[in-house]
Amino acid sequence: MLIIVNPAAGGSRGSRRRLGRIVAALERRGCVVVVRHAGPAAGDAERLAREAEAEFDVIVAAGGDGTVNAVANGIAASPRALAVLPFGTANVLAREVGLPRRSKRLAELIATGEARPIWPGRVGDRLFLTTASSGFDAEIVAAVNPRLKRSLGRFAFAWAIMARLSRYRASALSVRADGAEHRAAGVIAAKGRFYAGAHVIAPGANIAEPVLDLVLLQRSGRLAALGYLAALLLGRVARRRDIAVLRCRTALVAEGEPLPVQADGEIVGQLPIELGIAEQPLHLVQPGVSRTRLWFRRADL
């Protein structure tokens, strides 16, 4: 197996020690492990995945959701099993499928676990595995300072939220989903339940299904944005009457201005953008259903 390490997420002393323990545990189980560190250049992790030699049975993304996104896009043309070592800030996909936290159990899962099909979303010509969005939340992602993110983790997002609130600008998005027209101040296309960590944004979403759960935030303004943030933190998104959730396979999102679009926590383009489903599934190494459900219950507490 090939482990591709994001130096920003896996560069700390603790992450290096954890990676060493996992590699040793894999090798004790008879796995042949090669570790390659992505460089600082954008797209380097994706390139390493795309150029991985044919003898690698499993490609492992060691980093956050952005690293997993890059590796998934790198192997999309010639699919093989994908595994995840969650070394990032939010680790949304890891939470979604219920990856174990302990290094020993994580190594055991990667060495012996089943690679089951998942259906990534598509934003433009790129895949995403958790969410893609445009509106206030994508502007927050665009405003995050990479240096602050490396040093402060999630607190860098709190700083970006305050910065964007102080310069808030209303948006009126046009969303055409499976042929039906909608209007919204923000749109989040979800492939799973979780968003920005352990916060539930789309309760019925399932990464194993070839469909998008489209979350439409219907009100604009600073107070509305703060209300949506509070609802997310308190687990009350599904209770708000000004949030609509619909299922679709394709959606076209547009606005008068070229607003940023994020996918899996990384800015990937600007509006207008087409959302959809990948042409074929990826196979992700993940725990069994019962373990995943147990992890969900823990995460919701």
Side-chain angles (χ1 to χ4, degrees):
M1 58 185 62
L2 170 64
I3 300 178
I4 298 174
V5 182
N6 175 2
S12 69
R13 183 178 300 176
S15 293
R16 289 196 298 269
R17 285 200 298 263
R18 188 182 183 208
L19 177 62
R21 290 194 299 269
I22 291 171
V23 170
L26 289 169
E27 290 176 338
R28 286 195 296 271
R29 291 182 169 274
C31 299
V32 177
V33 182
V34 174
V35 178
R36 292 175 183 166
H37 293 263
D44 202 42
E46 183 173 338
R47 177 188 61 81
L48 289 175
R50 185 172 57 251
E51 296 176 355
E53 294 84 348
E55 58 263 28
F56 289 115
D57 303 299
V58 182
I59 309 296
V60 185
D65 292 299
T67 304
V68 181
N69 178 288
V71 171
N73 278 278
I75 66 174
S78 54
R80 43 192 148 172
L82 170 67
V84 175
L85 296 180
F87 287 179
T89 304
N91 301 312
V92 178
L93 182 65
R95 297 174 187 275
E96 188 66 44
V97 300
L99 293 185
R101 294 180 177 89
R102 293 185 179 180
S103 299
K104 183 177 180 181
R105 289 184 59 198
L106 193 53
E108 178 185 359
L109 172 66
I110 294 174
T112 64
E114 180 183 1
R116 301 201 306 276
I118 63 171
W119 283 93
R122 178 179 53 79
V123 52
D125 59 356
R126 292 192 61 79
L127 303 181
F128 68 92
L129 285 79
T130 59
T131 61
S133 65
S134 187
F136 183 66
D137 73 315
E139 292 193 9
I140 292 171
V141 173
V144 170
N145 185 305
R147 292 183 179 179
L148 284 180
K149 184 178 177 182
R150 285 194 293 270
S151 60
L152 299 179
R154 296 182 185 183
F155 291 104
F157 287 90
W159 181 266
I161 289 171
M162 298 304 296
R164 292 315 307 165
L165 280 172
S166 68
R167 297 189 293 272
Y168 182 88
R169 55 177 179 173
S171 56
L173 306 184
S174 169
V175 183
R176 186 175 181 85
D178 286 349
E181 296 285 349
H182 306 270
R183 302 292 292 180
V187 58
I188 301 171
K191 278 302 306 167
R193 294 172 11 121
F194 294 120
Y195 177 84
H199 309 298
V200 175
I201 189 71
N206 188 337
I207 197 170
E209 297 179 358
V211 67
L212 297 174
D213 277 46
L214 217 57
V215 182
L216 304 180
L217 310 178
Q218 297 173 325
R219 293 176 55 213
S220 62
R222 288 186 178 89
L223 288 178
L226 286 171
Y228 292 140
L229 288 170
L232 183 68
L233 294 174
L234 296 173
R236 297 177 179 272
V237 169
R239 301 182 185 182
R240 289 192 64 116
R241 295 182 180 180
D242 55 357
I243 296 178
V245 181
L246 55 97
R247 309 201 96 187
C248 66
R249 289 187 59 86
T250 61
L252 179 64
V253 184
E255 215 262 9
E257 298 183 32
L259 297 180
V261 177
Q262 71 85 24
D264 293 336
E266 303 288 338
I267 298 298
V268 296
Q270 297 178 326
L271 294 182
I273 202 76
E274 182 183 357
L275 300 167
I277 298 295
E279 295 182 355
Q280 58 184 336
L282 289 179
H283 286 75
L284 178 68
V285 177
Q286 53 188 299
V289 174
S290 60
R291 186 181 300 177
T292 303
R293 286 176 178 167
L294 176 61
W295 201 96
F296 281 165
R297 287 198 294 271
R298 281 199 216 124
D300 289 342
L301 293 176

